[in-house]
Amino acid sequence: MIIDSHQHAFRDTEEQIRINKSAGVDKVWLFPTRIHPETAHNINEFSAEFAKLMTNLSGGKIDDTAFITAIDETASIAAGNPGFFTGFGICPSGMDFDATARWI
């Protein structure tokens, strides 16, 4: 049986693969992320990671560099594990048609 999933990139790729395989997941469509709560060591670090998410959800401006870094991370993970991960792209919201087309 093929079970597939979409996920955001973990900082520890090998752990992400191990967790998925132990759950029977054969393939993951990997979305870029700027938020890594799995790296937190305490409640303050965890809260700081989720504050980034809340900024995003509330329409706060996110620097384009953060998007590019997340895309580069996803592309690297997918290229290094092509049988398991397929990368998926993201685009900042709120751009007009021409800016979105240039971004893509």
Side-chain angles (χ1 to χ4, degrees):
M1 174 189 300
I2 296 176
I3 300 172
D4 53 16
S5 173
H6 91 271
Q7 298 174 16
H8 294 272
F10 287 17
R11 288 281 185 220
D12 184 343
T13 302
E14 294 307 315
E15 177 70 0
Q16 187 169 10
I17 292 170
R18 187 193 66 72
I19 289 168
N20 279 284
K21 287 189 175 183
S22 70
V25 175
D26 300 299
K27 179 90 173 159
V28 170
W29 274 255
L30 193 62
F31 285 56
T33 187
R34 296 161 318 280
I35 301 151
H36 287 284
E38 77 279 2
T39 63
H41 295 98
N42 57 52
I43 191 66
N44 290 334
E45 291 176 5
F46 185 80
S47 296
E49 284 300 306
F50 269 91
K52 295 175 191 176
L53 175 62
M54 296 312 296
T55 296
N56 189 29
L57 294 175
S58 65
K61 175 67 177 149
I62 299 169
D63 183 32
D64 287 350
T65 311
F67 281 93
I68 293 166
T69 299
I71 291 166
D72 288 346
E73 175 186 44
T74 302
S76 176
I77 292 168
N81 302 278
F84 193 76
F85 291 116
T86 297
F88 195 90
I90 57 174
C91 182
S93 61
M95 295 187 295
D96 65 23
F97 180 84
D98 291 334
T100 301
R102 283 190 304 275
W103 181 273
I104 293 169

